[in-house]
Amino acid sequence: MKRSEVDRTKLSPMMQQYLDIKDKYNDTIIFFRLGDFYEMFFEDAVICSRELELALTGRNAGLDERVPMCGIPYHSYVGYLNKLIDKGYKVAICEQLTDPKDSKGMVERDVIQVVTKGTRIDNTLNEKDNSYVGNIYDFEYCYGISYADITTGYFYALIIEHDQNKLIKEIVNRNILEVIVNDKINREIISILRDNYQILVTITDDICELENYHYLYKNIQDIRLVTTIKHLLQYIIETKKGDLSHLQEVEVIDIHKYLTFDVHTKKNLELTETIRLGEKTYSLLWLLDKTKTAMGSRFLRTNIENPLTDINEINKRYDIIETLLTEFILKEELTRNLNEVYDLERLAGRISYGNLNARDLLQLKNSLKVLPDIKRILEEIKYPKTIDTLDDVYDLLERSINEDAPITIKEGSLIKDGYSVELDELKSISSGSKDFILKIEQDERERTGIKNLKVGFNKVFGYYIEVSKSNIPLIKEEYGYDRKQTLANCERFITPLLKEKENIILGAEEKIINLEYKLFMEIRSYVKEFIGKIQRVSKVLAEVDMMASLATVSEENNYVRPIITTDRNVCIKEGRHPVVEKVSKSTYVPNDVIMGSGIDILLITGPNMAGKSTYMRQLAITVIMAQIGSFVPAKSCTIPIFDKIFTRIGASDDLVSGESTFMVEMKEANYAIQEATPNSLILFDELGRGTATYDGMSLAQAILEYIHDKIKAKTLFSTHYHELTSLSADLSNLRNVHVSAIEEDGKITFLHKIKSGSVDKSYGIHVASLAKLPHSLIERANEILAIYENKNNKKQSFVQTSLFLDTNEKEEEPNYLEEKIKEINPLEMTPIEALNFLYELKNSIKEKE
């Protein structure tokens, strides 16, 4: 049965109420509160029964047949809610707004919040990740983008050109989980975001005009940005339906202030998660994250994804790390104190929104307790920023909130003794009456002679006297016992005195609970006035925590301070890949990266598995670490500021869109060629391998020539097309390097060392042998290789085309000296062997003369 098929005139009042609410939230699953359960009806019930594996039943609703229904307990709904959100659904929480005991007729109900992928604000979120909801406002000549983390209050905005591919890259790169778009947007964009990236998309043109959120954009002059912000803001207000005053003033992003790279580069370099398992472990973030707070961890991740380009700011961070390494005792004390700090950013969000409990306030108090020590340490190390210790807030929480307060705020035990005179008096009355109850039990045992008589309590009957079946004959009429309940092995009674004390106790306990709740809300309101200060403190602590973490990692792994140069020279001596070095069981082989002003391109040849890709990644990760303000894994490091990084490493087929490896290669190559500047870094690993050999070789050479002549970006280009090494003769800013290996008795040993010059062998069959392919297969491959090599020897070498050919050129006779030189490999000769060979050649020439 569907909603659209129902005759609403026959429905029960409760079901009519449900459908009226459902009509307002048509694209949302309604969790409809009925007593101790959330219930779902009609299509919502069918969806939930399937997705949550619940029994689909029915409910009488005034119709001839029962309407589809399923339900979940209200006190354990969060797990079910998160399952639906993760599957891409929106869920509206519809609560009872009035107490059924006090209601005459239908209980008032309404939606108190809508929960979506980007608007979750509960404690189930990963504390080390941001949760962004964003929007795209299509102005038809440009796009406005804004995004916010509702849990922390951070809010950002930017304008980009009207380019669909750049728009999608921007949304994906910024980890936005949910996007709101205006109606003018191209529907193809919506399909790509939904299908390829599992981003929840909602279409709406509504704009927020509320004055109380004007502070968010009061300093922004660009009306396009203001419109974009108000578009997202309206959606957030409509879904959360609570106080969002913790949202912070919008930061307009200037992309020129950051080193930029796309999601493929982030994935290829394994900055925040590994390619194979998609986990944080063994990523750069895993290595650098020695932070003590969730705020610091999130700030570190943001910096890894958005390195700086401001030399002064980067050098300030280097100075801080040097100070922390020098003042190591203060650093240890600082990290111990930071370890006591809870997630102040998200605590501030819960204080504002109103979904916090007493334990949240205890976390805030314990965090504030260490702020004076942290402030002192920051002053001692001359940290450029300071913090407010919020002493008044700490004193209030220390006096008021009970240390063992429960999670719920409507069951009492929230407030300490001595905070409220009225509350203490009520507790005294309640406590005294409970003592009197114990006295009644003792008195009745003596009066009746029943030794196992006891006074108990339950919510149905209140206080009662319980007597076992065997002792019932001892009850006399003059005792005034009034039978209330008969059980299998006992009887329960009440007396007028017991009833009188029950009224006093229960009346006092209800007053205690109500008063504690009132006092708790007053405390929360007071703390709420300090949200701005708490957020400012949290920003400084997040940065301090990150810097302490970077200092710790630098100390543990022997990193060095980079020198940022204003020219374009790259000089890294004995550089290492920080993660590979950390997890490698063998000794890591360091390598230099030398690219002076006359070198823009390093063309890397060498065997598979020898370390070409690691060498390329090593440079990019060193650049990223240096530009977030970290020390780097090297003996020494001098680099310029890079503005963008482009990578094509590994075969990342776009299976979702049905594009082949080669098409992805060409698209990523085109993106780099179109967007790169002379200040960019390009890493291309075996570009062109996805097509026929000569096609790939031709494209690879053309791309190298284009980068060399037109872009002039610093480029690392690895290849198995050894013919390309001849380009160094014509491209003045290209240098050949290779990863060395030794072949002995048909076996290969990788040295993982980068050396000048090129190699003319890939050793692919040797690598296959190391992979334990069958011996007969390896022998056959060697036979086939010999045939191909003989054929290729007769072919023209792949070099730059010459426009002037000598048509009268005759075939020359074999040259003795050339044949002798071809027999040797100068890269494998010692200096003395080379001199001896030269001496032999000279003697041979003399003899021929």
Side-chain angles (χ1 to χ4, degrees), residues 244-278:
L244 298 168
S245 58
H246 70 290
L247 291 177
Q248 302 180 49
E249 187 174 341
V250 177
E251 177 185 337
V252 179
I253 293 176
D254 180 357
I255 59 174
H256 300 296
K257 291 182 178 179
Y258 303 98
L259 167 62
T260 60
F261 40 80
D262 67 7
V263 69
H264 300 296
T265 296
K266 186 169 76 172
K267 181 180 178 182
N268 287 335
L269 297 178
E270 299 185 306
L271 297 182
T272 58
E273 61 183 33
T274 57
I275 295 173
R276 178 171 292 184
L277 299 176

Side-chain angles (χ1 to χ4, degrees), residues 291 296 299-300 303 317 542-550 628:
T291 59
F299 188 69
L300 174 61
N303 274 267
R317 291 186 175 181
E543 182 181 276
V544 169
D545 195 13
M546 182 187 80
M547 298 312 300
S549 176
L550 295 178
I628 68 174

Side-chain angles (χ1 to χ4, degrees), residues 374-421:
I374 293 175
K375 182 177 182 178
R376 172 184 54 79
I377 295 168
L378 295 183
E379 289 171 350
E380 287 189 39
I381 64 173
K382 295 182 172 55
Y383 197 82
K385 299 175 184 176
T386 189
I387 57 172
D388 189 328
T389 53
L390 299 167
D391 297 333
D392 291 344
V393 178
Y394 174 77
D395 290 341
L396 172 66
L397 297 178
E398 174 64 19
R399 288 187 293 110
S400 61
I401 303 300
N402 211 347
E403 296 295 344
D404 56 354
I407 293 176
T408 59
I409 59 175
K410 292 188 176 180
E411 293 183 3
S413 300
L414 300 175
I415 307 298
K416 281 183 175 180
D417 294 340
Y419 178 72
S420 165
V421 174

Side-chain angles (χ1 to χ4, degrees), residues 423-435:
L423 181 62
D424 290 346
E425 289 177 353
L426 286 171
K427 286 181 177 179
S428 177
I429 293 170
S430 175
S431 175
S433 298
K434 286 182 178 177
D435 290 341

Side-chain angles (χ1 to χ4, degrees), residues 1-67:
M1 182 188 299
K2 297 181 179 178
R3 279 188 301 135
S4 57
E5 301 169 349
V6 170
D7 181 356
R8 298 198 177 193
T9 60
K10 296 181 179 179
L11 288 173
S12 63
M14 184 277 292
M15 193 55 66
Q16 285 179 350
Q17 184 188 49
Y18 167 80
L19 288 179
D20 288 343
I21 294 171
K22 178 66 179 175
D23 289 342
K24 300 175 188 175
Y25 299 91
N26 203 36
D27 63 341
T28 306
I29 293 172
I30 305 284
F31 278 14
F32 193 73
R33 179 73 178 273
L34 288 170
D36 288 342
F37 285 85
Y38 286 120
E39 296 188 3
M40 291 70 76
F41 304 106
F42 298 105
E43 293 91 338
D44 286 2
V46 174
I47 292 170
C48 289
S49 67
R50 180 184 69 245
E51 301 287 8
L52 302 177
E53 300 179 3
L54 301 173
L56 183 65
T57 59
R59 174 181 275 275
N60 292 323
L63 303 174
D64 294 336
E65 58 180 301
R66 286 150 59 93
V67 302

